[in-house]
């Protein structure tokens, strides 16, 4: 192998190593930002009925926060914040186990149904 080939191979290897380091750093930064967004969403949820609704539907709070897309979680929280059916919600939350069919009044029913206990049992 000539010196020129060796230098070319080494430069190519350095280029790939640099690209790998860049990719890992970018991925780490994005994951950190998403974790922070999830923490903020969990904090926004804390004073609402949503955690109780998730529990009644058989959905773990942390499981939901990490499985559902962030935009969907944000929309569900907004729906809960702006909900006008709080009396119906309070009545239903007295029942320890709910199915998505039980909460027809909830604007987030379809979004939550895909993670519910009844969906997992059927599949």
């Amino acid at each position: 192998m000539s010196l020129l080939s060796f230098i070319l191979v080494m430069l190519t290897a350095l280029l790939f190593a640099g690209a790998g380091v860049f990719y890992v750093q970018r991925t780490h930064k994005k994951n950190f930002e998403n974790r922070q967004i999830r923490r903020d969403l969990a904090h926004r949820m804390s004073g609402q009925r949503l955690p109780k609704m998730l529990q009644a539907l058989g959905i773990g709070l942390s499981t939901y926060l990490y499985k559902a897309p962030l935009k969907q979680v944000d929309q569900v929280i907004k729906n809960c914040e702006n909900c006008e059916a709080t009396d119906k919600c309070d009545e239903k939350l007295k029942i320890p186990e709910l199915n998505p069919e039980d909460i027809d009044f909830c604007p987030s029913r379809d979004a939550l149904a895909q993670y519910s206990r009844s969906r997992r049992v059927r599949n």
Side-chain angles (χ1 to χ4, degrees), residues 41-69:
L41 290 172
H43 182 70
R44 276 180 53 201
M45 250 190 239
S46 64
Q48 298 180 0
R49 293 167 178 82
L50 186 55
K52 292 178 184 176
M53 182 62 74
L54 291 172
Q55 185 178 7
L57 290 169
I59 306 169
L61 179 62
S62 60
T63 302
Y64 178 67
L65 282 172
Y66 282 90
K67 280 190 176 182

Side-chain angles (χ1 to χ4, degrees), residues 13 16 21-22 24 26 29 47 57 67 86 94 108 112 115:
F16 280 118
V21 168
F22 174 74
V24 168
R26 192 185 77 193
K29 181 180 178 183
L57 290 169
K67 280 190 176 182
T86 56
K94 291 178 183 176
S108 301
L112 297 176
Y115 302 101

Side-chain angles (χ1 to χ4, degrees), residues 1-15:
M1 181 173 352
S2 70
L3 182 62
L4 183 61
S5 298
F6 177 74
I7 292 172
L8 187 61
V9 168
M10 292 305 291
L11 288 175
T12 304
L14 285 173
L15 179 68

